Amino acid sequence: FTPVIIPLAIYLYGEFRARRDLMNMGAAAGQASIIGYLISIAYKAITGRVEPEFLTTFSMIDNSRDFNFGFLEHGIFWGWPSSHTAVAFAGAFAIVFLVRNNTIRSLAVLYAFFIAIGAGIGFHWLSDVVAGAIFGILVASVVAKNFAAKMRE
Protein backbone atom coordinates (compact mmCIF):
# COMPACT_ATOMS: atom_id res chain seq x y z
CA PHE A 1 0.00 0.00 0.00
CA THR A 2 3.02 2.30 0.28
CA PRO A 3 2.94 3.39 -3.40
CA VAL A 4 -0.62 4.61 -2.80
CA ILE A 5 -0.37 5.95 0.74
CA ILE A 6 2.81 8.04 0.39
CA PRO A 7 1.78 10.00 -2.75
CA LEU A 8 -1.69 10.51 -1.30
CA ALA A 9 -0.24 11.71 2.01
CA ILE A 10 2.11 14.13 0.21
CA TYR A 11 -0.77 15.44 -1.88
CA LEU A 12 -3.09 15.89 1.12
CA TYR A 13 -0.35 17.55 3.17
CA GLY A 14 0.21 19.96 0.27
CA GLU A 15 -3.53 20.62 0.11
CA PHE A 16 -3.67 21.23 3.87
CA ARG A 17 -0.67 23.60 3.74
CA ALA A 18 -1.83 25.20 0.47
CA ARG A 19 1.46 24.25 -1.20
CA ARG A 20 1.02 23.56 -4.87
CA ASP A 21 4.54 22.11 -5.19
CA LEU A 22 3.75 19.32 -2.70
CA MET A 23 0.43 18.63 -4.35
CA ASN A 24 2.17 18.28 -7.72
CA MET A 25 4.87 16.06 -6.23
CA GLY A 26 2.28 13.74 -4.65
CA ALA A 27 0.27 13.62 -7.86
CA ALA A 28 3.41 12.93 -9.92
CA ALA A 29 4.52 10.10 -7.63
CA GLY A 30 1.05 8.56 -7.71
CA GLN A 31 0.73 8.88 -11.46
CA ALA A 32 4.19 7.44 -12.06
CA SER A 33 3.43 4.48 -9.78
CA ILE A 34 0.18 3.72 -11.61
CA ILE A 35 1.77 3.99 -15.05
CA GLY A 36 4.74 1.86 -13.93
CA TYR A 37 2.33 -0.82 -12.74
CA LEU A 38 0.28 -0.77 -15.95
CA ILE A 39 3.37 -1.02 -18.16
CA SER A 40 4.84 -3.87 -16.13
CA ILE A 41 1.65 -5.94 -16.19
CA ALA A 42 1.28 -5.33 -19.92
CA TYR A 43 4.76 -6.77 -20.48
CA LYS A 44 4.04 -9.67 -18.11
CA ALA A 45 0.86 -10.48 -20.01
CA ILE A 46 2.95 -10.97 -23.16
CA THR A 47 6.23 -12.45 -21.90
CA GLY A 48 4.99 -14.92 -19.28
CA ARG A 49 8.38 -15.50 -17.70
CA VAL A 50 8.60 -18.38 -15.27
CA GLU A 51 9.52 -17.26 -11.75
CA PRO A 52 12.25 -18.89 -9.65
CA GLU A 53 11.31 -21.36 -6.98
CA PHE A 54 10.43 -19.30 -3.93
CA LEU A 55 13.43 -18.89 -1.60
CA THR A 56 15.20 -22.02 -2.78
CA THR A 57 18.86 -21.18 -3.09
CA PHE A 58 19.87 -24.83 -3.14
CA SER A 59 17.64 -25.87 -6.03
CA MET A 60 19.45 -27.23 -9.03
CA ILE A 61 16.61 -26.28 -11.38
CA ASP A 62 17.45 -23.40 -13.72
CA ASN A 63 14.32 -22.14 -15.41
CA SER A 64 15.61 -18.58 -15.78
CA ARG A 65 15.35 -18.75 -19.57
CA ASP A 66 11.80 -20.09 -19.66
CA PHE A 67 9.24 -17.72 -21.13
CA ASN A 68 5.66 -18.47 -22.14
CA PHE A 69 5.26 -15.93 -24.93
CA GLY A 70 1.70 -15.16 -25.92
CA PHE A 71 -1.17 -13.29 -24.35
CA LEU A 72 -1.77 -14.29 -20.71
CA GLU A 73 0.19 -17.54 -21.00
CA HIS A 74 1.52 -17.11 -17.44
CA GLY A 75 -0.69 -14.39 -15.97
CA ILE A 76 0.19 -10.82 -15.00
CA PHE A 77 1.45 -11.36 -11.46
CA TRP A 78 4.67 -13.29 -12.07
CA GLY A 79 7.74 -12.80 -14.17
CA TRP A 80 9.44 -10.13 -16.18
CA PRO A 81 9.63 -7.22 -15.30
CA SER A 82 9.15 -6.96 -11.55
CA SER A 83 6.03 -4.89 -10.88
CA HIS A 84 7.11 -4.26 -7.30
CA THR A 85 10.36 -2.75 -8.52
CA ALA A 86 8.78 -0.81 -11.40
CA VAL A 87 6.21 0.80 -9.11
CA ALA A 88 8.74 1.56 -6.36
CA PHE A 89 11.26 3.10 -8.74
CA ALA A 90 8.61 5.06 -10.66
CA GLY A 91 7.17 6.68 -7.54
CA ALA A 92 10.50 7.22 -5.82
CA PHE A 93 12.28 8.65 -8.82
CA ALA A 94 9.37 10.95 -9.65
CA ILE A 95 10.03 12.46 -6.23
CA VAL A 96 13.81 12.46 -6.83
CA PHE A 97 13.40 14.33 -10.11
CA LEU A 98 11.09 16.96 -8.59
CA VAL A 99 12.72 17.63 -5.20
CA ARG A 100 15.95 19.47 -4.43
CA ASN A 101 16.26 18.25 -0.82
CA ASN A 102 19.00 15.60 -0.71
CA THR A 103 17.59 13.93 2.41
CA ILE A 104 14.23 13.32 0.73
CA ARG A 105 15.97 12.16 -2.43
CA SER A 106 18.11 9.71 -0.46
CA LEU A 107 15.11 8.31 1.40
CA ALA A 108 13.21 7.83 -1.86
CA VAL A 109 16.13 5.99 -3.47
CA LEU A 110 16.64 3.83 -0.37
CA TYR A 111 12.95 2.89 -0.42
CA ALA A 112 13.15 1.89 -4.10
CA PHE A 113 16.26 -0.25 -3.55
CA PHE A 114 14.74 -1.84 -0.43
CA ILE A 115 11.75 -3.01 -2.48
CA ALA A 116 14.00 -4.17 -5.33
CA ILE A 117 16.22 -6.20 -3.02
CA GLY A 118 13.19 -7.82 -1.42
CA ALA A 119 11.74 -8.75 -4.80
CA GLY A 120 15.09 -10.06 -6.01
CA ILE A 121 15.64 -12.23 -2.96
CA GLY A 122 12.11 -13.53 -2.70
CA PHE A 123 10.36 -14.12 -5.99
CA HIS A 124 12.12 -12.60 -9.00
CA TRP A 125 15.21 -13.16 -11.07
CA LEU A 126 17.80 -10.38 -10.98
CA SER A 127 16.96 -9.47 -14.59
CA ASP A 128 13.29 -9.04 -13.60
CA VAL A 129 14.35 -6.54 -10.94
CA VAL A 130 16.74 -4.66 -13.23
CA ALA A 131 14.09 -4.41 -15.96
CA GLY A 132 11.55 -3.14 -13.41
CA ALA A 133 14.02 -0.51 -12.20
CA ILE A 134 14.72 0.65 -15.76
CA PHE A 135 11.01 0.86 -16.62
CA GLY A 136 10.31 2.69 -13.36
CA ILE A 137 13.03 5.28 -13.89
CA LEU A 138 11.93 5.87 -17.49
CA VAL A 139 8.31 6.36 -16.44
CA ALA A 140 9.37 8.66 -13.58
CA SER A 141 11.48 10.81 -15.88
CA VAL A 142 8.62 11.36 -18.33
CA VAL A 143 6.03 12.03 -15.61
CA ALA A 144 8.36 14.31 -13.64
CA LYS A 145 9.26 16.25 -16.77
CA ASN A 146 5.57 16.92 -17.44
CA PHE A 147 4.88 17.92 -13.84
CA ALA A 148 7.98 20.14 -13.71
CA ALA A 149 6.65 21.99 -16.75
CA LYS A 150 3.30 22.45 -14.97
CA MET A 151 5.03 23.70 -11.84
CA ARG A 152 6.86 26.40 -13.85
CA GLU A 153 3.60 27.70 -15.33
Side-chain angles (χ1 to χ4, degrees):
F1 297 109
T2 304
V4 174
I5 292 171
I6 289 177
L8 184 60
I10 293 170
Y11 182 86
L12 292 175
Y13 183 73
E15 181 86 32
F16 179 72
R17 293 286 186 182
R19 290 196 43 198
R20 194 113 176 103
D21 61 330
L22 290 176
M23 292 169 56
N24 281 331
M25 184 175 58
Q31 183 180 16
S33 296
I34 291 168
I35 293 171
Y37 179 69
L38 293 175
I39 288 173
S40 67
I41 64 170
Y43 272 96
K44 286 181 182 193
I46 296 167
T47 60
R49 186 173 195 187
V50 177
E51 66 279 355
E53 291 184 37
F54 185 68
L55 293 175
T56 55
T57 55
F58 300 111
S59 175
M60 299 306 288
I61 299 172
D62 180 15
N63 61 352
S64 63
R65 293 178 192 86
D66 293 343
F67 285 84
N68 297 315
F69 290 106
F71 188 68
L72 292 178
E73 292 294 322
H74 196 65
I76 60 171
F77 298 111
W78 303 101
W80 184 92
S82 166
S83 296
H84 290 87
T85 306
V87 170
F89 270 76
F93 276 81
I95 292 171
V96 167
F97 293 143
L98 291 174
V99 172
R100 297 288 173 240
N101 184 316
N102 286 332
T103 303
I104 294 173
R105 286 176 151 183
S106 298
L107 289 172
V109 170
L110 283 173
Y111 160 74
F113 277 100
F114 176 75
I115 298 300
I117 290 168
I121 290 173
F123 43 88
H124 278 294
W125 299 105
L126 177 61
S127 58
D128 299 343
V129 173
V130 171
I134 292 169
F135 284 134
I137 291 171
L138 289 173
V139 166
S141 67
V142 171
V143 170
K145 186 176 184 180
N146 288 330
F147 272 87
K150 286 181 183 181
M151 292 167 79
R152 284 190 298 262
E153 292 176 357

